[in-house]
Amino acid sequence: MLETDPTRGLDDAEIDRRQLRCGPNLLQTHVGTPFWHIVAHQFTSVLVWLLIGAMVLAVVFGDWLQGIAIGVVIAINALIGVVTESRAVRSMEALRRIGRTTTRVRRAGHMIEVAAEALVPGDILLLEGGDIVTADARLIEATNMAIDESLLTGESEPVEKRPQPLAPETRLADRACMAFRGTAITGGVGTAIVTATAMQTEIGRISSLVASVGVARTPLERQLNVLSSQLIWLTLGVAVVIAFAGIADGRPWLMMVQTAIALAVAAVPEGLPMVSTLALARGMWRMARRNALLDSLPAVETLGATTVICCDKTGTLTENRMTVESVMDAAGGISQTADIEPGTTPGAFAVLECATLCNRAEVERTDGLVQGIGDPLEVALLLAAGDAGIEIAGLRARLPKLDEDPFDSTSKMMATSHQAANGLLIAVKGAPEAIITRATRIDEGNGIRVLTDDDRAAWRGRIDELAGRGLRMLAIARCEDGVPGGDPYEDLEFLGLVAMRDPPRLDVRDALAQCRAAGIRVVMVTGDHGLTARAIARDVGLDDSDGWHGGENLGRLDTLDEAAREELARATIFARVTPEEKLRLVEFLQGRGEVVAMTGDGVNDAPALKRADMGVAMGVRGTPVAREAADMVLRDDSFATIVFAIEQGRVIFTNIRKFVFYLLSCNLSEILVVGLATLGGLPLPLLPLQILFLNLVTDVFPAFALSACEGAPDVMDRPPRPPGEPVLPRRRWIAVALHGGAITLATLAALFIAIQWLGYDDRAAVTVSFLTLAFAQLWHVFNMRERRSGLLVNEVTRNPYVWGALALCTGLLLAATYLPGLSHVLKVVPPDGAGWAVVLGASLAPLVFANIAVMLRRR
């Protein structure tokens, strides 16, 4: 029905026709947040409704000017919220469009990789363990294939797949001959014909029933919301007391009610969740530009607290550019690939021939350029075979593949069966220990003989010697009289070893040094030989003084005494580790209070990636299953990118702490100024609209600017923050009270001077206190520098957004003072020279005294 040749696939012209008819293979599961929803979200806060209540009261009592002014403030607040939230939402939606999934297909007789959205019905999919199925497809070949279909059926156990036909009425969970979009292949290999794409797939039909998907709040957002809720009740209580005190003092009750409501709004930083979301989204976007894709905002928070990075060796610390350095035949002779010939080095030639057969990769040479498709290790074997003069296509045609036993992390071997002239040939490659253990025969050039235990011991010594030089070994074996359907690893003839090298990445040494300075411990976790891992550790600058520990120690953690467990907790190299032991390592370190980042690339790494506080998948060589399980995907597979992401996580959390501190201390000063003046019988130093104006001007723009700080230069020279540490620990709450109190005293002092010394009337005196508080809050932004940073040159003064915010706010304050319409609404009058001198002197005093206190504390 699909008019497809499974051996060739579709040609380009037919693909174009089907793409026009069927459209892109995309699910409409994520619907962008509509603009009206963002607008409506700005009016969900209780505090905004308090403002609306104040506006209604003003209109009811005939104060139309004040009612309109409050309405303008509400509109401006909503506009700021819409703009910032739109940026955050659009950034997240843009992130979702980064890193499209690719899939391997056979088209026009060639195996190629294409974007998943380019698939059409009739395409020939090439599937293997670790893939995420990208369309509904009918299996036509399957070897040991199992698929996790829990996404569709809820069954946790993988389903064994086979290509035999089934009745049309077979239920979804029993369709063993089908592979469904979104499911994960947990093992085996196979070929399938695409039968449905996009919304016509089973998961597409399900997704079309979903009207909306709730978005979970991040832990930081929840913490900030709790903080805001607590402050709401506290400040409402204070506002009620101030209102009754003012009414008892003979002040107009309507003005005091509006003042109390405005104070409540000003005191509670209702914009905190919005600003924090913007800061996190901006950080995610910065990381995306540096090849680190995060799937959620909570991942940004976790990055800053990471204490241990458990990383793979291959492709993360090394370049994942395997090259065959030499071949050791069964007689112990070592040959370089360029010197291998059938006549002079028959043993080495047989090794490369067998490695070519037991291989799923392909190599294409076009105009002198070589392009490999498949596992880098297998590509390296094919390139070495080509250098030795082996004609790959001819060898595979002469010995066609009949069956395959895919590589398994438990057996650590792979086997392929081939039709030979004299029977069934089985080619095997795998870990040297595994093959030497299973092999029973060896040919050292003078005839095949039994492989003895002494032979095995001698070969293990050779393996250790090569591994100590940083080489990765692969053992090759064969069986020339294999039994169809039998154990492919039975009665193997050991042929020799292939020694390969994967050079370290050039940027790893500096990245590891950064980790040491930042108090982050790096642990190498690899399936390679321990001596190989230790040699690479020395090359990249990783501490190897404690040697290496085998994965088997992780498997028996429960039986170890405390001294042995402590030794494992300090270890930096774990070799011969299985995926199950990776998971045990993560759980072991987390149980000791560590915040663990774990890298991985395979299907079986998924449990450890999911369990880690920060799962990091490789985007280049990682399987789709690993990428789905991870919190972060590296588009360049570079360890340095992880370190950069951790640095950005620290900077983002520090920025959030900065603007939370700033907002709370500014809002506290507003409450104290009005509260103390009211209780002390002084003229009201701030009018309701002035409070709202300050809340708009001196809170929002500097807070946004602080969220964009680049971070102190020494942010990676400090230990990680404790995981359970709140946004504002106790000492910072004390600092909030001290800074808020200092701004309050400066403002009340300016009010007192204006009344007692300058003889101003109430309106002029209130103008002085209003401007003093406003500018004191603006200068307060410079107190947000790190304690270790310089007084004049620091992360705040280097931030151009801070200077832009100060310039904008200063312009708005001058407009409020000198523009006739605005000054009339806010009830302010332009101060004379003496008034401006008081404003500038009093507003700068808290900043000056704060920096003097810092210098004295340093001494």
Side-chain angles (χ1 to χ4, degrees):
M1 289 175 60
L2 292 166
E3 299 177 354
T4 301
D5 179 357
T7 62
R8 286 188 50 80
L10 301 171
D11 59 30
D12 292 342
E14 182 60 26
I15 290 167
D16 292 340
R17 283 193 291 271
R18 296 189 186 195
Q19 284 178 340
L20 285 175
R21 186 170 70 247
C22 302
N25 179 31
L26 294 173
L27 294 180
Q28 300 169 5
T29 52
H30 176 74
V31 180
T33 305
F35 180 75
W36 68 265
H37 188 274
I38 297 176
V39 174
H41 186 254
Q42 311 312 312
F43 298 92
T44 58
S45 169
V46 174
L47 299 171
V48 173
W49 284 101
L50 286 175
L51 265 184
I52 294 173
M55 179 183 68
V56 172
L57 278 176
V59 173
V60 168
F61 286 93
D63 194 345
W64 285 93
L65 183 61
Q66 186 157 277
I68 293 172
I70 295 175
V72 171
V73 170
I74 293 172
I76 294 175
N77 268 318
L79 178 62
I80 293 173
V82 166
V83 171
T84 54
E85 190 169 336
S86 294
R87 286 191 61 187
V89 168
R90 301 312 171 217
S91 294
M92 293 296 296
E93 291 175 355
L95 282 177
R96 290 189 180 99
R97 294 192 292 269
I98 294 177
R100 297 293 192 188
T101 303
T102 60
T103 190
R104 292 182 304 128
V105 298
R106 184 179 292 127
R107 286 181 174 177
H110 298 283
M111 181 178 75
I112 61 173
E113 287 190 357
V114 299
E117 57 262 35
L119 291 177
V120 296
D123 259 327
I124 305 299
L125 288 181
L126 306 176
L127 306 171
E128 65 179 9
D131 288 347
I132 295 289
V133 183
T134 49
D136 284 4
R138 172 64 162 84
L139 292 168
I140 54 175
E141 295 178 3
T143 304
N144 298 332
M145 178 172 280
I147 299 182
D148 178 2
E149 296 184 343
S150 57
L151 179 73
L152 289 173
T153 65
E155 294 291 337
S156 57
E157 291 296 320
V159 179
E160 293 186 6
K161 294 293 181 176
R162 53 189 180 275
Q164 283 74 22
L166 295 169
E169 63 273 12
T170 304
R171 294 179 60 82
L172 179 70
D174 299 322
R175 296 177 191 171
C177 59
M178 293 293 296
F180 300 107
R181 177 175 182 142
T183 58
I185 301 176
T186 59
V189 295
T191 305
I193 299 178
V194 174
T195 56
T197 59
M199 300 303 289
Q200 302 305 313
T201 61
E202 293 296 331
I203 196 171
R205 294 190 183 98
I206 294 173
S207 65
S208 65
L209 302 176
V210 180
S212 63
V213 178
V215 180
R217 291 176 180 259
T218 72
L220 179 64
E221 285 179 313
R222 290 195 294 269
Q223 192 175 1
L224 294 176
N225 286 335
V226 169
L227 175 64
S228 296
S229 299
Q230 293 169 342
L231 288 174
I232 284 174
W233 294 109
L234 175 63
T235 52
L236 281 177
V238 172
V240 169
V241 171
I242 290 174
F244 278 109
I247 294 171
D249 194 43
R251 293 173 182 171
W253 73 270
L254 176 61
M255 184 183 73
M256 293 311 303
V257 169
Q258 292 173 336
T259 300
I261 294 174
L263 266 180
V265 174
V268 180
E270 71 275 7
L272 271 181
M274 176 183 65
V275 180
S276 65
T277 300
L278 176 66
L280 293 171
R282 180 177 180 271
M284 290 179 70
W285 191 245
R286 285 170 59 86
M287 293 181 201
R289 292 205 304 267
R290 286 287 298 270
N291 296 317
L293 303 182
L294 289 103
D295 74 336
S296 64
L297 292 177
V300 183
E301 301 170 42
T302 307
L303 279 168
T306 299
T307 60
V308 176
I309 303 174
C310 297
C311 66
D312 277 337
K313 174 182 70 66
T314 306
T316 307
L317 300 180
T318 63
E319 293 184 1
N320 193 30
R321 184 172 51 83
M322 298 299 299
T323 57
V324 175
E325 183 169 287
S326 60
V327 176
M328 180 180 286
D329 60 29
I334 298 178
S335 306
Q336 305 300 315
T337 55
D339 300 328
I340 296 175
E341 295 179 358
T344 57
T345 54
F349 194 83
V351 168
L352 289 182
E353 275 195 327
C354 196
T356 300
L357 293 172
C358 187
N359 198 309
R360 303 191 73 246
E362 291 189 10
V363 172
E364 294 182 358
R365 300 174 186 267
T366 307
D367 299 329
L369 297 177
V370 179
Q371 180 180 7
I373 301 176
D375 185 278
L377 182 146
E378 294 191 328
V379 170
L381 292 173
L382 294 186
L383 293 176
D387 292 340
I390 295 175
E391 209 283 303
I392 297 172
L395 176 65
R396 289 176 169 177
R398 180 163 49 87
L399 299 169
K401 184 168 69 173
L402 302 177
D403 200 0
E404 177 180 319
D405 189 71
F407 178 83
D408 179 76
S409 59
T410 303
S411 68
K412 298 181 180 177
M413 293 183 289
M414 170 188 175
T416 55
S417 301
H418 303 266
Q419 181 63 57
N422 56 348
L424 186 68
L425 170 67
I426 297 177
V428 179
K429 73 174 188 291
E433 295 95 331
I435 287 184
I436 288 174
T437 300
R438 294 297 302 268
T440 59
R441 299 175 296 161
I442 187 171
D443 184 356
E444 297 174 326
N446 51 5
I448 298 175
R449 65 173 179 83
V450 175
L451 185 69
T452 66
D453 289 340
D454 289 341
D455 293 328
R456 293 187 177 93
W459 277 101
R460 290 189 181 101
R462 293 180 180 125
I463 291 167
D464 289 346
E465 179 187 353
L466 293 172
R469 288 159 39 192
L471 296 171
R472 180 175 180 179
M473 256 65 60
L474 193 69
I476 306 297
R478 71 185 176 194
C479 178
E480 294 185 296
D481 51 357
V483 178
D487 183 355
Y489 308 115
E490 192 74 29
D491 197 26
L492 294 178
E493 175 192 345
F494 178 66
L495 295 180
L497 300 174
V498 178
M500 291 174 284
R501 185 180 296 278
D502 185 7
R505 284 179 176 265
L506 297 178
D507 55 359
V508 165
R509 183 173 287 272
D510 290 340
L512 288 172
Q514 276 188 287
C515 287
R516 284 193 295 272
I520 301 170
R521 197 159 58 88
V522 179
V523 178
M524 181 194 293
V525 186
T526 178
D528 279 349
H529 194 285
L531 294 176
T532 304
R534 194 172 182 186
I536 293 295
R538 287 194 295 268
D539 288 344
V540 300
L542 186 65
D543 180 21
D544 71 325
S545 57
D546 292 334
W548 61 278
H549 295 263
E552 67 276 3
N553 292 326
L554 297 171
R556 53 188 181 89
L557 277 171
D558 296 338
T559 64
L560 299 178
D561 58 28
E562 186 55 35
R565 293 169 67 88
E566 185 65 32
E567 183 181 355
L568 282 182
R570 294 194 308 267
T572 56
I573 302 174
F574 288 91
R576 286 294 186 247
V577 177
T578 66
E580 292 78 11
E581 290 161 351
K582 270 191 178 184
L583 179 60
R584 292 295 302 275
L585 176 60
V586 171
E587 294 173 339
F588 171 62
L589 293 174
Q590 288 175 328
R592 301 181 74 88
E594 304 283 6
V595 178
V596 182
M598 167 64 79
T599 72
D601 59 0
V603 179
N604 293 326
D605 291 331
L609 292 173
K610 203 73 174 177
R611 183 68 178 88
D613 299 283
M614 171 61 59
V616 182
M618 303 298 108
V620 177
R621 62 187 172 87
T623 61
V625 173
R627 293 198 292 268
E628 289 289 329
D631 304 292
M632 182 167 73
V633 177
L634 304 181
R635 290 196 291 181
D636 57 0
D637 290 9
S638 172
F639 181 80
T641 302
I642 303 175
V643 179
F644 170 79
I646 290 175
E647 178 183 7
Q648 288 301 304
R650 291 187 174 191
V651 170
I652 290 165
F653 187 85
T654 302
N655 288 345
I656 290 173
R657 178 171 279 173
K658 277 187 175 73
F659 66 68
V660 170
F661 183 102
Y662 174 80
L663 289 173
L664 290 181
S665 50
C666 288
N667 293 343
L668 177 63
S669 67
E670 294 172 11
I671 288 182
L672 292 177
V673 164
V674 175
L676 293 176
T678 302
L679 297 175
L682 295 173
L684 199 64
L686 291 173
L687 301 178
L689 285 180
Q690 293 173 353
I691 294 173
L692 296 173
F693 187 82
L694 287 179
N695 192 36
L696 173 68
V697 172
T698 59
D699 278 8
V700 174
F701 297 114
F704 285 163
L706 288 173
S707 73
C709 280
E710 295 297 326
D714 64 344
V715 70
M716 289 296 281
D717 295 332
R718 312 170 194 169
R721 64 178 175 86
E725 184 178 86
V727 178
L728 290 185
R730 181 174 176 273
R731 62 181 178 81
R732 289 189 180 265
W733 276 110
I734 295 173
V736 166
L738 291 176
H739 282 288
I743 295 173
T744 299
L745 291 177
T747 304
L748 293 178
L751 178 66
F752 180 81
I753 293 171
I755 295 173
Q756 298 296 326
W757 293 4
L758 300 181
Y760 286 175
D761 59 20
D762 285 355
R763 187 164 185 172
V766 168
T767 298
V768 170
S769 61
F770 164 68
L771 292 174
T772 299
L773 179 59
F775 281 105
Q777 291 181 344
L778 291 183
W779 310 146
H780 181 46
V781 76
F782 295 111
N783 289 324
M784 298 301 105
R785 64 185 175 90
E786 295 291 323
R787 287 184 298 170
R788 304 175 183 83
S789 60
L791 176 62
L792 298 178
V793 180
N794 51 65
E795 73 279 6
V796 176
T797 58
R798 289 195 304 267
N799 185 350
Y801 296 104
V802 166
W803 294 105
L806 293 181
L808 175 62
C809 293
T810 300
L812 291 173
L813 287 171
L814 292 176
T817 305
Y818 290 102
L819 282 181
L822 188 55
S823 62
H824 176 68
V825 171
L826 294 176
K827 295 183 171 58
V828 297
V829 294
D832 55 19
W836 275 115
V838 172
V839 167
L840 293 177
S843 64
L844 285 170
L847 177 64
V848 172
F849 285 120
N851 283 281
I852 291 174
V854 169
M855 288 187 289
L856 291 175
R857 187 171 62 220
R858 284 181 177 176
R859 289 188 178 182

